[in-house]
Amino acid sequence: MLRSRKPRGRWSTTRSPRYVRRCFARLHADVRSYTTAAAADDLDVVRRALDYPRIDLYGGSYGATLAQVYLERHGDSVRTAILDGRGTSREGLQR
């Protein structure tokens, strides 16, 4: 049986924001552009590069949220979608 332990040392909750900021600084990228909408648009770029007129989506967990955003932004490019998650972050999706 695995026991969960509280993080200690540099991983403690009081130090983690500073650690995360240092990690972000080393990326040399604007992490604000790492969004679900950007990921959905990137997926559509791949779909077009592969010359697929329509794709089938399967989204589990966060993938279900990503699939919903993809459907909202590029719904005409989807043949079927399966959303496999315990509640998704978007409600009222209609298509």
Side-chain angles (χ1 to χ4, degrees):
M1 180 171 116
L2 296 174
R3 294 185 308 171
S4 66
R5 299 182 308 174
K6 284 191 165 187
R8 294 188 180 153
R10 69 181 197 169
W11 300 107
S12 72
T13 56
T14 58
R15 292 186 183 188
S16 59
R18 186 175 58 205
Y19 176 77
V20 170
R21 280 193 296 277
R22 284 196 327 257
C23 288
F24 284 160
R26 285 187 229 140
L27 289 176
H28 304 293
D30 185 359
V31 295
R32 292 173 296 183
S33 62
Y34 297 160
T35 64
T36 302
D41 293 343
D42 289 346
L43 178 58
D44 198 60
V45 169
V46 171
R47 178 199 60 80
R48 285 185 277 131
L50 294 172
D51 201 26
Y52 293 161
R54 297 172 80 204
I55 59 173
D56 299 319
L57 292 177
Y58 172 83
S61 190
Y62 167 72
T65 300
L66 177 57
Q68 285 181 314
V69 172
Y70 187 85
L71 283 164
E72 289 172 349
R73 297 172 74 87
H74 307 284
D76 292 339
S77 300
V78 176
R79 186 175 73 98
T80 60
I82 298 171
L83 307 178
D84 184 9
R86 185 188 153 98
T88 52
S89 67
R90 300 182 152 324
E91 295 188 21
L93 180 70
Q94 298 175 3
R95 192 72 164 122

